[in-house]
Amino acid sequence: MAHSSETGTQRAADILAKRLYDAGCRYAFGMPGGEVLTLIDALEAAGITFVLTKHENAAGFMGEGVHHTDGAPAILVATIGPGAVNGINVVANADQDRVPLIVLTGCVDTDEAQTYTHQVLDHEAVFAPITKGTFRLTAKSADIIADKAVNLSQTGRAGPVHIDVPINVADTSVPVALPRRNTLPAKCVPAPSAELTLAKDWLAEAKKPVMIIGLDALADDAADEILAFVETHSVPFVTTYKAKGIIPETHPLCLGGAGLSPKADGILVPFIEQADLVICAGYDPIEMRTGWRDIWSPHNTRVIDITATENTHYMHQAGLNFVADTGATLAMISRGVAPMDTWIGGEVAAVKQALNAAFPQDDAWGAAGVIAQCRASLPANTIATVDSGAHRILLSQMWSCAAPRTLLQSSGFCTMGVAVPLAMGVSVAEPDAPVVSFSGDAGMLMVAGELSTAAERGLRTIFVVFVDASLALIELKQRGRQLQNTGVDFAKHDFAAIGRAFGGNGTDVFDRAGLAQAIDDALAVDGFTVIAAHIDRQSYDGRI
């Protein structure tokens, strides 16, 4: 039983589950083993739905998809040994992509592990390098450990936290816990200082300011303050891929997303190099390619860095550094500084024109044609996910976002196999929202088994697969280095049939008209749809 009203006790697992529920968690994903049965029972009793998946790695990404819809920490449940290790990829991704992920693993009791070694593994040692913290649950401190884990996962830059749950500890009855300890720190705001005065002076004197907006700004809910700042001071801005949509990308000051496209960098980097003031608003350069390293210097360009944590990356340096809330800091810098005209030579319009020409929406077919047609045919409020590969680079430049967290991807860790489970997580949490997943055929093959989960949950997700029978980005790099074609091509597979075999809908498309019809059909039917878009394997040449 979950608790006893007569004795005023609960299982330690119930205390942990209740703390997670109080933190806003409503779904947990994973695969059960005997070591986590009590934990799953406690999650369900607390009001957290457990979703059975086919692999722990996909389970974690489904949890992340839910997180992007409700803001609560994601939950991954894995059993001892092989189950825990199966989740290593998604946990490392959560670390580098700043995702609050609570990783719950089952384990045998300490005394039992002294002589019983079957599947026994030091989970804490495994997860320590890729988490913000790892704990071993104890019965008397279950509430404290749960509170620490939830708070740690969301403090500073978000990230994963691991809790190892021994079997007997999960079942141990303990007194009903005290109310949850909410120790999340208040947002830090800069105090009046010489540095703040200097930042104001730099802004007042800037004739060519530019802003780079990153993931920290989303965590700070700084959209309104950023919009007010850039409009008041006429500051054009670039976002990282995961910050796309923090201000609608149709805004005249928006220069789109950046991060991985050499083609876009060839336009954006020279523009930024002209700036006399660079404002990094919650900019975490973990999303950026090496071409963004040291593109300015504090010795010849005025740079203001506003971040959640200290600069330990050294991707760039800044003349002024504020470890503080993004929106509040921008508002303080702006206060009392008179607006002025900027970039009076028409440079902003020229950059926007160059980007539009570099990534046109009118390709008859190929990867760019698929992306353009999907954006044109799908509702404006569609939430998209995209896997790693050449198609991600192209889509992240072409896909326009009107709101934040409407294009989800792995951009810090850049791992494959994320688009399908991310989209499924969104669909679990928001079953009526239009959701589309973009995968390369190799990425889809990694996670195709989760289509059965989509069928079991009755999801209406649309899965678009770029079918070119090649690891297109790696093949492109291989050709660029004039190396022989090795290990990048594979056989074509019938993805539409795979979709139908797993209980959904499936169709093949070969042109924009066929794709438009397939999307219309997918929006109208029950169940999920796999759309296999057949393209030439070299359709990315000159596009990214």
Side-chain angles (χ1 to χ4, degrees):
M1 307 185 49
H3 62 84
S4 170
S5 58
E6 287 120 4
T7 62
T9 61
Q10 293 178 303
R11 297 173 301 183
D14 292 304
I15 292 175
L16 171 59
K18 180 62 165 59
R19 288 300 209 257
L20 294 173
Y21 182 89
D22 290 345
C25 303
R26 295 296 180 269
Y27 294 94
F29 298 83
M31 289 197 70
E35 296 77 15
V36 294
L37 291 179
T38 297
L39 185 56
I40 292 172
D41 182 70
L43 290 169
E44 287 278 350
I48 299 174
T49 300
F50 177 77
V51 178
L52 172 64
T53 67
K54 307 307 175 285
H55 195 281
E56 290 83 356
N57 198 52
F61 284 115
M62 290 183 206
E64 180 184 340
V66 172
H67 159 71
H68 289 305
T69 67
D70 65 14
I75 302 177
L76 166 63
V77 179
T79 194
I80 191 171
V85 174
N86 270 353
I88 290 296
N89 183 295
V90 71
V91 177
N93 181 85
D95 183 43
Q96 295 202 17
D97 272 57
R98 320 312 190 195
V99 178
L101 173 66
I102 305 298
V103 184
L104 305 176
T105 58
C107 64
V108 300
D109 300 299
T110 301
D111 290 337
E112 181 78 357
Q114 301 310 307
T115 56
Y116 182 76
T117 58
H118 176 68
Q119 290 188 316
V120 173
L121 184 69
D122 188 342
H123 293 165
E124 293 173 86
V126 169
F127 286 110
I130 54 172
T131 59
K132 296 183 71 178
T134 179
F135 301 91
R136 188 178 181 89
L137 198 73
T138 66
K140 290 184 178 180
S141 296
D143 56 339
I144 297 173
I145 290 170
D147 291 346
K148 282 184 176 182
V150 168
N151 292 330
L152 182 58
S153 74
Q154 299 174 92
T155 302
R157 285 194 174 124
V161 177
H162 166 242
I163 304 176
D164 220 15
V165 184
I167 300 169
N168 286 347
V169 169
D171 282 312
T172 299
S173 293
V174 292
V176 173
L178 296 170
R180 180 171 177 263
R181 301 163 181 83
N182 185 2
T183 59
L184 286 176
K187 297 292 186 180
C188 182
V189 179
S193 63
E195 289 77 13
L196 187 61
T197 299
L198 184 57
K200 289 175 174 287
D201 291 342
W202 285 1
L203 177 62
E205 296 165 6
K207 294 181 173 62
K208 293 184 176 181
V210 66
M211 181 180 287
I212 304 175
I213 306 170
L215 192 55
D216 288 351
L218 281 186
D220 288 340
D221 294 322
D224 291 343
E225 293 89 346
I226 290 174
L227 179 61
F229 188 97
V230 298
E231 289 187 338
T232 298
H233 301 287
S234 300
V235 182
F237 62 90
V238 175
T239 72
T240 64
Y241 286 163
K242 293 193 84 165
K244 279 170 67 73
I246 190 167
I247 297 173
E249 293 194 286
T250 53
H251 195 284
L253 290 168
C254 181
L255 301 179
L260 291 178
S261 169
K263 196 170 187 179
D265 287 356
I267 299 167
L268 292 171
V269 171
F271 174 76
I272 293 171
E273 288 174 337
Q274 298 176 54
D276 58 7
L277 174 64
V278 178
I279 303 170
C280 299
Y283 169 49
D284 182 351
I286 198 169
E287 294 191 62
M288 311 302 273
R289 64 192 291 267
T290 55
W292 284 76
R293 184 167 48 208
D294 290 325
I295 65 171
W296 60 77
S297 165
H299 303 298
N300 56 29
T301 302
R302 296 174 172 185
V303 180
I304 301 172
D305 214 3
I306 307 168
T307 58
T309 63
E310 295 84 356
N311 176 353
T312 58
H313 53 73
Y314 280 62
M315 269 281 284
H316 67 259
Q317 294 298 311
L320 290 172
N321 295 273
F322 297 97
V323 179
D325 179 76
T326 306
T329 305
L330 287 174
M332 292 187 71
I333 294 172
S334 176
R335 192 172 301 138
V337 178
M340 65 182 295
D341 292 332
T342 65
W343 297 97
I344 59 176
E347 297 92 341
V348 174
V351 169
K352 291 177 73 71
Q353 184 177 8
L355 288 168
N356 288 336
F359 301 99
Q361 300 281 332
D362 58 358
D363 275 24
W365 192 234
V370 171
I371 295 165
Q373 189 59 57
C374 286
R375 179 69 281 188
S377 295
L378 287 162
N381 64 335
T382 296
I383 299 172
T385 68
V386 61
D387 211 347
S388 291
H391 65 287
R392 178 173 84 92
I393 300 173
L394 186 58
L395 188 140
S396 294
Q397 298 298 143
M398 294 180 62
W399 190 269
S400 179
C401 296
R405 303 186 189 276
T406 53
L407 177 58
L408 309 179
Q409 55 187 288
S410 169
S411 57
F413 201 49
C414 288
T415 189
M416 289 178 67
V418 303
V420 167
L422 276 175
M424 289 172 59
V426 174
S427 292
V428 166
E430 298 285 348
D432 296 327
V435 181
V436 61
S437 157
F438 292 97
S439 299
D441 39 11
M444 171 57 87
L445 288 171
M446 286 183 174
V447 294
E450 296 300 342
L451 294 176
S452 63
T453 308
E456 291 159 6
R457 300 295 305 182
L459 305 183
R460 300 185 65 236
T461 318
I462 300 172
F463 301 101
V464 176
V465 185
F466 294 83
V467 182
D468 57 9
S470 177
L471 297 171
L473 181 59
I474 309 306
E475 190 273 338
L476 181 61
K477 292 179 179 181
Q478 197 174 62
R479 277 189 288 122
R481 294 180 58 188
Q482 297 183 325
L483 299 173
Q484 65 178 354
N485 182 285
T486 304
V488 293
D489 296 335
F490 47 88
K492 277 198 172 184
H493 300 281
D494 192 340
F495 290 95
I498 291 173
R500 294 190 294 270
F502 276 114
N505 310 287
T507 185
D508 294 284
V509 297
F510 302 89
D511 53 39
R512 289 185 67 150
L515 177 56
Q517 184 60 57
I519 292 172
D520 288 345
D521 293 343
L523 291 170
V525 300
D526 291 329
F528 71 85
T529 299
V530 175
I531 300 176
H534 295 259
I535 61 173
D536 184 82
R537 65 177 53 191
Q538 295 183 3
S539 70
Y540 298 99
D541 288 14
R543 296 294 187 192
I544 58 175

